[in-house]
Amino acid sequence: MFSSFAKRTTKVWRLFLKIKYLCELILEMSEKPHKAGFVSIIGKPNVGKSTLMNQMVGERLSIITSKAQTTRHRIFGIISGEDFQIVYSDTPGIIAPQYELHRSMMRFVNSSLEDADVILLVTDIYEKHEENEILSRVEKTDVPIIMLLNKIDQAKGTQVVDKIAYWKELVNVKEIIPISALEGLGISDVFDKIIEHLPEHPPYFPKDQLTDKSERFFAAEIIREKIFQNYKKEVPYSTEVVVEAFKEEEDIIRIRAEIYVERKSQKGIIIGKEGKALKKVGIEARETMEAFFGKQIFLETYVKVAEEWRKKEIHLNRFGYKQ
Ligand code: GDP
Ligand code: MG
């Protein structure tokens, strides 16, 4: 009688312990710290920054990278998991003339060195120390730096090992990871290292968000990209695009965009003889948009003059450049 009571008590006790263990496990899992932070990708033009960002964030944002060359705004690429969120920024400014490029790059680098939680410093197997003015600044920052040696798919013999030794000698960075952004080699090592360095922080953006910018923004940027590709000299720099309407229907998106230039003469250039130049821009923009949004696009474009918009606060505010 007594022993069966004891047995039952033991059983209940065991069950209790099991439940307690499970509860603790669930609690522990839910308390796993969330990490989040900003990761800046910096480096000389053509080393593979945009290709890398593409790899890290995913194909859908490829447009960001291909048009990064003409980017005036800073765009984020966001990737989230259950317990992490990484917000990448790619470096803008390649088509710009040398001095302008350097100025804008250095501005970006300077702000990265202050804001970022982690810096990805991209080099490739060809780059030499003296070619890169970023390096001297980088060493002075407290932000953790992960140096990436890209394009190892093109390396021969001991080139990778030699180059890592070369950089270790010249630059004060703790980690150098060999990668091929193009072929996806070493990308998971980069990801692990970033997570290691990321601070504990709640997410900055909703978990399903891929970028901080709206669809209208991308539509405008695509048109701007085509303008950069189709016109010369200062015309693209004098142009701004505003998407006035973005109406998504079941199987088509209807977009109305206004192209602003600074002078009347530029309006003529944008439109071109018999409207041919603008037509070409429209066709190319529509094709890229269809690939980007995955839907049929109906695009209307109008060219307008906003005298000297780059110098006037009222226009700059309207176009989203905060002073
Ligand atoms: P960014 O100017 O630093 O943004 O460089 P991009 O990402 O635009 O790349 C510049 C060029 O290098 C492009 O032609 C890429 O296809 C190429 N590239 C980038 N990463 C790799 C790589 O890992 N291997 C090879 N072979 N080429 C690469
Ligand atoms: Mg780029």
Side-chain angles (χ1 to χ4, degrees):
M1 175 73 190
F2 178 76
S3 79
S4 95
F5 175 72
K7 258 188 208 159
R8 232 182 295 153
T9 317
T10 321
K11 247 187 183 169
V12 170
W13 181 242
R14 275 205 191 133
L15 190 68
F16 169 73
L17 285 180
K18 252 187 203 163
I19 291 170
K20 183 167 169 267
Y21 172 73
L22 278 174
C23 287
E24 279 169 1
L25 204 68
I26 289 167
L27 205 70
E28 194 181 306
M29 275 165 67
S30 66
E31 277 175 359
K32 199 170 168 192
H34 189 281
K35 289 181 153 195
F38 291 80
V39 176
S40 290
I41 305 176
I42 63 173
K44 216 178 77 147
N46 266 319
V47 289
K49 298 180 296 298
S50 299
T51 312
L52 175 73
M53 169 134 151
N54 242 7
Q55 276 282 358
M56 308 287 302
V57 182
E59 277 310 305
R60 256 194 71 189
L61 289 179
S62 60
I63 185 64
I64 287 182
T65 58
S66 67
K67 64 114 212 53
Q69 304 172 323
T70 55
T71 286
R72 291 170 184 155
H73 305 261
R74 191 163 152 187
I75 305 170
F76 296 137
I78 307 166
I79 176 127
S80 301
E82 207 168 291
D83 52 8
F84 73 89
Q85 181 170 74
I86 306 173
V87 186
Y88 292 99
S89 332
D90 192 7
T91 314
I94 291 168
I95 282 179
Q98 280 296 308
Y99 62 95
E100 183 57 38
L101 160 69
H102 284 143
R103 272 220 308 269
S104 88
M105 262 181 77
M106 287 340 280
R107 264 203 304 275
F108 180 85
V109 170
N110 287 339
S111 71
S112 296
L113 296 177
E114 287 157 20
D115 312 342
D117 295 298
V118 178
I119 290 173
L120 297 182
L121 173 60
V122 187
T123 64
D124 62 21
I125 54 167
Y126 308 107
E127 191 184 348
K128 295 193 187 90
H129 182 263
E130 60 271 23
E131 291 172 352
N132 198 331
E133 56 180 286
I134 293 168
L135 292 169
S136 57
R137 302 196 184 207
V138 153
E139 291 178 340
K140 293 177 195 130
T141 178
D142 295 329
V143 180
I145 296 171
I146 305 167
M147 189 166 182
L148 305 178
L149 185 65
N150 192 27
K151 307 193 185 174
I152 58 164
D153 55 294
Q154 290 185 333
K156 294 189 184 76
T158 57
Q159 208 176 353
V160 172
V161 182
D162 294 348
K163 210 72 200 202
I164 289 176
Y166 169 84
W167 286 115
K168 284 221 160 127
E169 185 110 316
L170 289 168
V171 190
N172 184 22
V173 289
K174 288 196 195 87
E175 285 139 338
I176 302 179
I177 304 177
I179 62 163
S180 166
L182 197 65
E183 295 189 356
L185 293 171
I187 298 300
S188 60
D189 297 337
V190 181
F191 178 81
D192 292 346
K193 262 289 171 267
I194 292 172
I195 296 285
E196 207 177 281
H197 285 296
L198 228 50
E200 278 183 30
H201 198 281
Y204 290 92
F205 298 96
K207 284 288 175 97
D208 57 355
Q209 199 169 324
L210 280 171
T211 167
D212 61 326
K213 296 288 189 268
S214 66
E215 289 174 318
R216 271 173 195 254
F217 172 84
F218 284 108
E221 285 294 271
I222 289 168
I223 297 171
R224 231 160 52 73
E225 175 191 58
K226 303 307 173 195
I227 290 170
F228 264 87
Q229 288 167 356
N230 280 286
Y231 304 95
K232 290 188 202 116
K233 293 191 184 147
E234 92 292 1
V235 174
Y237 294 98
S238 310
T239 305
E240 183 56 307
V241 178
V242 175
V243 170
E244 283 291 320
F246 188 102
K247 250 175 80 189
E248 183 154 8
E249 292 167 15
E250 203 172 330
D251 48 6
I252 196 167
I253 304 173
R254 293 178 196 278
I255 298 170
R256 193 174 73 242
E258 289 176 351
I259 298 172
Y260 285 90
V261 288
E262 291 197 307
R263 289 189 297 275
K264 230 176 158 187
S265 60
Q266 292 170 335
K267 182 174 171 176
I269 295 173
I270 292 281
I271 293 170
K273 235 189 198 163
E274 294 161 4
K276 275 191 188 142
L278 183 61
K279 193 169 176 198
K280 183 161 179 276
V281 164
I283 290 170
E284 289 176 10
R286 183 173 49 74
E287 282 168 357
T288 304
M289 284 178 190
E290 285 181 345
F292 184 65
F293 293 113
K295 248 187 186 178
Q296 203 188 328
I297 302 285
F298 175 77
L299 174 65
E300 281 175 294
T301 49
Y302 299 91
V303 185
K304 296 189 171 179
V305 180
E307 299 261 337
E308 307 268 305
W309 67 264
R310 282 185 293 181
K311 294 192 194 114
K312 290 189 183 152
E313 202 166 323
I314 183 169
H315 291 313
L316 286 168
N317 285 341
R318 167 150 191 238
F319 297 152
Y321 298 101
K322 289 206 185 88
Q323 288 297 288

